[in-house]
C-alpha cells in the first residue's frame, strides 16, 4: 500500500476514541483543526510504521491491534493519500508533544452530527477526520457495536 501520511483512530476498552486539536503553527494547513493522531511518512517506512511512530510522537501511546480502515484524502489536498488505521489501547494517559494543543477521549454518544461535520463540546470535527469517524461508526453500528476495520472504497456511493 502506498501513502503519504497515516492516522490512527485509537479506541479504548470503554469505546471512547481519541481526537486531538492540532496546535496553531505557521505553515500547517490544518493548524488548530480537530484531527486524529498521525502525520507524514518518513523515508522507506511502511504506512503502518508511520501510523505507530506518529501516534507515539504526538500522544505517547503505543497502539495495539492496528488494522487498516482505508485510504482518505483531505478536502483541500486531494493528492495527499492518508492511510487510516484503527488501533486499540489500554492507556488513558495522553502525553502530547508540541503539535497537540488539546485532546479528548470522546464517547460517540457525545457527538452531534450536523450536515458534513460533528460538534463535540463546541469543537467542529470536519473534513477527512469527520469522514473517517463517520465511516467507522456506521460500520460499527451495523455490525452490532463490534470493532471492525472498514475499507472506505466499499462505502463509496
Amino acid at each position: 500500500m502506498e501513502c503519504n501520511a497515516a492516522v490512527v483512530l485509537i479506541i479504548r476498552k470503554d469505546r471512547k476514541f481519541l481526537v486531538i486539536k492540532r496546535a496553531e503553527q505557521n505553515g500547517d494547513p490544518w493548524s488548530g483543526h480537530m484531527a486524529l493522531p498521525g502525520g507524514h511518512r518518513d523515508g522507506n517506512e511502511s504506512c503502518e510504521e508511520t501510523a505507530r511512530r506518529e501516534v507515539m510522537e504526538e500522544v505517547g501511546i503505543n497502539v495495539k491491534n492496528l488494522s487498516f480502515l482505508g485510504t482518505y484524502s483531505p478536502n483541500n489536498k486531494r493528492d495527499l493519500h492518508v492511510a487510516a488505521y484503527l488501533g486499540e489501547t489500554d492507556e488513558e494517559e495522553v502525553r502530547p508533544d508540541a503539535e497537540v494543543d488539546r485532546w479528548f477521549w470522546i464517547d460517540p454518544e457525545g457527538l452531534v452530527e450536523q450536515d458534513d461535520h460533528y460538534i463535540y463540546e463546541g469543537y467542529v470535527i470536519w473534513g477527512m477526520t469527520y469522514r473517517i469517524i463517520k465511516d467507522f461508526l456506521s460500520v460499527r453500528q451495523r455490525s452490532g457495536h463490534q470493532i471492525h476495520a472498514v475499507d472506505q472504497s466499499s462505502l463509496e456511493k
Side-chain angles (χ1 to χ4, degrees):
M1 166 193 4
E2 284 298 314
C3 70
N4 308 103
V7 297
V8 182
L9 179 60
I10 304 170
I11 305 284
R12 293 190 321 202
K13 287 182 181 182
D14 63 3
R15 302 292 190 225
K16 290 183 179 178
F17 58 88
L18 183 66
V19 174
I20 62 172
K21 180 180 179 290
R22 298 175 59 86
E24 299 283 341
Q25 293 186 14
N26 289 335
D28 178 355
W30 303 284
S31 181
H33 292 198
M34 300 292 281
L36 299 174
H40 288 280
R41 184 175 172 188
D42 284 344
N44 291 326
E45 70 185 353
S46 70
C47 297
E48 184 173 326
E49 289 169 337
T50 299
R52 290 181 185 281
R53 176 184 53 76
E54 284 287 344
V55 166
M56 182 56 74
E57 287 176 5
E58 286 190 359
V59 294
I61 293 175
N62 186 18
V63 291
K64 303 182 298 187
N65 302 323
L66 212 58
S67 57
F68 182 66
L69 291 173
T71 301
Y72 293 77
S73 293
N75 291 338
N76 62 346
K77 196 159 169 73
R78 290 291 187 189
D79 61 338
L80 180 66
H81 303 288
V82 180
Y85 291 90
L86 177 67
E88 299 174 355
T89 187
D90 298 324
E91 300 176 41
E92 292 188 24
E93 182 181 354
V94 176
R95 296 173 300 281
D97 71 359
E99 294 180 34
V100 177
D101 180 45
R102 307 188 90 191
W103 66 93
F104 307 87
W105 285 108
I106 296 178
D107 181 331
E109 300 296 320
L111 292 172
V112 176
E113 189 169 7
Q114 296 180 350
D115 298 321
D116 59 354
H117 63 276
Y118 291 117
I119 303 290
Y120 179 75
E121 295 186 359
Y123 293 95
V124 176
I125 302 170
W126 68 286
M128 184 181 77
T129 302
Y130 163 76
R131 293 191 315 270
I132 294 168
I133 294 169
K134 182 175 177 68
D135 288 351
F136 170 72
L137 293 177
S138 296
V139 169
R140 188 177 82 167
Q141 183 177 24
R142 287 194 311 263
S143 65
H145 300 285
Q146 298 294 316
I147 294 178
H148 291 289
V150 58
D151 179 349
Q152 181 192 15
S153 64
S154 68
L155 300 173
E156 296 283 327
K157 293 181 181 172

